[in-house]
Amino acid sequence: MSVSDLDPVPAVALLARPGAARERLREALAHADVQIVLEDDPMTLEPQALHDARPQFVVIALEAAIEDALERLEPALSAPGLTLVFDEAELAARRDGWEAQRWGRHLAAKLHGHQQVLPPGAEDEPTLQLEPGRPSTPPVPKETALQPHLEQARSWADDVPADGLYSPPAHLHEPIALEQALAALQPVLPETAAPVEAAPEPPPVPAAAPSVFTDHTAWSLVDEASDAPAEPRAAATVAAPEPAFDTEHLSLVDLDATAPAGSRAGALLVLAGIGGPDALRRLLAALPSGLAVPVLVHMRLDGGRYGNLVKQMARVSPLPVQLAEAGQRATAGEVHVLADDIGVHAAADGLYFQSEAQGISIAALSAEHSALVLLSGADLAHVGPALDLAAAGAWVAGQVGEGCYDPAAATAVVAAGMVAGEPQELAQVIAARWGLDDDGDAA
C-alpha cells in the first residue's frame, strides 16, 4: 500500500471570476498539495458540470456579482459530503507575502484535515500541553535496591539508645479514664471496720405559723396597706376599631415591569474570523427554527461586505437573518449580523443596537441569560471577557475539530473548562437549552 493510498490527495473545485483573486487562490491550492478537478467562473458554470467533477471541497471567491450564480448552483453545492470554503474576493486579491502564506497554510490544514498551521521548520518545537486527569503513579522501588539499606538498619538497631529516663513503679499504673483517676484519689477503707450506727432521728418539730418571709405568696412590690385610699379610676377603656381590609382595589404586580434593566437582555453571541463563514454556516444551519434568545453574529471582514454575509447565511439558516442597525431592538429567534461599529446596550425590555466605535462589548450582555460561542478566527482579546462572563453564569463554548482554521481563541476558552465541539454539536446544545417547541414554549 502506497503513501498516497493512506493519505489521498483531496479533490478541489475552484469557483472564482477571472482576475487577481482567482490567481491568488490557484497559487494557494498549488502549494496545498491538492488536485484541482475544476476551475471555472460561477457565472457560466452549470450545476451538472460541478456535480460531474465530483470534488470533495469547493473554494469560492465571494463577491456581489456571483450571488445569483450561487443560488443557481445551490443544488450542487448542497450535495452530501461536500465542504465549502469561502473567501472574500477583494481580500484574496490584496493578500500577499506573509499574509498569503499564512492563509495558504490554514487552507491546506482545512483541506487535509490536520491542525498543522506553523511555517516549515517549526513543527518539532516542543509545546507544553496540560491534560486533565490524575497524575501517573510513581514507579515502585525494587526490593533488591532496598535490601542493602534494610540490612544496614538491622545491624545498627542494637546500638540505638532506648528511652530510659522514666520507669514507672511496678505498683502504680496510669488510669485510662477520668472515673478511674478520681477513684484513685479516694481513701480506701479497711474491710474490717465496724459499721457506723445510725444516729437517732430528731423529734418532730411542731408546725409553726407561716411567716411573711417564707410565704412568697404574701410578697408585694406596692404597699397595699397604705393609709391614703386609692382614687378610683373612672376612665373607661375605649376599644379601637379593627382596620378593614379593602379587597376592591387589589391588583397583580407586573413582574416584568419591576425586573432590573438587563434581566431580559440575554442573547447568543457568535464570534468568528478567519475560516468563520464555513463554521458559521454549519452552526446556523443546525439551529432550530425557533429560539428564546436573539442570535448576534460578529465576524470581522476587512472588506466590510456584511450585506453579502447576511445573504449567504440566509440561504442556510432556518432563522431570519438581517443586518443590525443602530436603534433597532434585538429580536428573539432572529439572527443579527453586527458590523464593526455596532454595539449593544441593555434596557428593561431587552437589547438594543447602538453605534459604538469599538464594536460589540461582551460585558454588556446579561450573564445569566446569555451564551457565547467562539468559532475559528475569533479575536484573542475576547477570551478574557468571555471567561469573566462565564464566571458570572453565562454558557460559553469554543469550536474544535478539523474546520477550525485559527483555533487560538476557541482553544483558550476550551482549556479553561468551557464547552467544546464542532459547530453542529454546539448548535444541538444551544437548541436543547434555548430552543422553542411547536407551541412557542422554551424547551
Side-chain angles (χ1 to χ4, degrees):
M1 182 179 293
S2 63
V3 177
S4 61
D5 296 333
L6 295 175
D7 187 13
V9 178
V12 180
L14 174 58
L15 303 184
R17 298 178 65 193
R22 183 169 173 176
E23 295 176 3
R24 294 288 188 275
L25 293 175
R26 187 190 308 114
E27 294 174 0
L29 292 175
H31 290 86
D33 191 20
V34 299
Q35 179 184 3
I36 301 179
V37 297
L38 177 65
E39 179 180 344
D40 206 342
D41 185 352
M43 303 290 293
T44 59
L45 179 64
E46 295 297 331
Q48 187 61 36
L50 178 60
H51 180 271
D52 295 340
R54 298 186 180 278
Q56 297 171 284
F57 299 87
V58 178
V59 180
I60 303 175
L62 284 177
E63 52 183 323
I66 68 171
E67 292 181 0
D68 296 337
L70 292 180
E71 293 183 0
R72 181 172 51 84
L73 296 173
E74 181 66 23
L77 295 176
S78 301
L82 185 63
T83 303
L84 305 182
V85 180
F86 298 94
D87 189 19
E88 290 285 341
E90 183 178 355
L91 298 181
R94 297 200 314 260
R95 196 178 291 125
D96 196 5
W98 177 87
E99 185 181 0
Q101 296 177 8
R102 178 177 179 271
W103 190 90
R105 292 194 299 270
H106 284 277
L107 178 61
K110 170 70 176 179
L111 299 179
H112 287 277
H114 59 74
Q115 300 294 331
Q116 179 57 42
V117 295
L118 298 177
E123 295 85 351
D124 298 332
E125 294 184 0
T127 56
L128 179 60
Q129 297 292 340
L130 300 179
E131 297 182 357
R134 297 178 58 187
S136 59
T137 305
V140 180
K142 297 181 179 180
E143 184 177 356
T144 56
L146 294 178
Q147 190 62 32
H149 302 282
L150 295 176
E151 294 177 356
Q152 184 181 23
R154 192 179 298 109
S155 64
W156 288 352
D158 297 335
D159 299 335
V160 177
D163 188 4
L165 298 179
Y166 172 74
S167 297
H171 64 281
L172 296 179
H173 64 277
E174 296 182 359
I176 60 174
L178 179 60
E179 292 79 2
Q180 295 181 359
L182 295 176
L185 299 178
Q186 299 296 329
V188 179
L189 298 177
E191 297 179 357
T192 59
V196 180
E197 295 182 359
E201 297 181 1
V205 180
S211 174
V212 294
F213 297 102
T214 58
D215 185 8
H216 65 275
T217 59
W219 293 359
S220 175
L221 296 178
V222 181
D223 189 3
E224 296 179 353
S226 177
D227 296 337
E231 297 181 359
R233 298 182 180 180
T237 304
V238 179
E242 297 183 358
F245 187 74
D246 186 6
T247 60
E248 297 181 357
H249 299 84
L250 294 179
S251 63
L252 296 177
V253 177
D254 188 359
L255 297 179
D256 293 338
T258 59
S263 61
R264 292 178 301 279
L268 167 63
L269 176 59
V270 182
L271 303 174
I274 297 179
D278 180 48
L280 181 61
R281 172 179 173 272
R282 290 188 287 161
L283 176 71
L284 296 182
L287 289 178
S289 58
L291 282 180
V293 294
V295 181
L296 312 182
V297 175
H298 177 62
M299 183 173 64
R300 290 192 177 276
L301 299 177
D302 294 341
R305 308 296 291 272
Y306 292 99
N308 294 342
L309 181 64
V310 170
K311 295 180 181 179
Q312 175 186 344
M313 297 304 159
R315 298 190 185 102
V316 299
S317 173
L319 301 174
V321 183
Q322 57 180 316
L323 188 63
E325 298 180 358
Q328 178 186 9
R329 180 176 180 271
T331 305
E334 295 185 4
V335 180
H336 303 272
V337 177
L338 309 180
D340 294 340
D341 58 349
I342 294 295
V344 295
H345 74 277
D349 56 345
L351 284 176
Y352 283 84
F353 302 113
Q354 64 181 5
S355 297
E356 188 69 37
Q358 302 299 328
I360 182 68
S361 173
I362 297 177
L365 300 177
S366 172
E368 184 180 357
H369 304 84
S370 296
L372 183 61
V373 177
L374 282 76
L375 298 179
S376 173
D379 194 347
L380 276 173
H382 290 147
V383 174
L387 296 180
D388 293 341
L389 198 70
W395 183 84
V396 178
Q399 178 189 357
V400 296
E402 300 177 356
C404 197
Y405 282 135
D406 186 3
T411 304
V413 298
V414 172
M418 301 298 105
V419 181
E422 293 276 0
Q424 300 93 323
E425 298 172 347
L426 299 180
Q428 294 176 1
V429 179
I430 293 170
R433 292 173 62 95
W434 292 280
L436 300 177
D437 53 19
D438 297 337
D439 298 332
D441 299 327

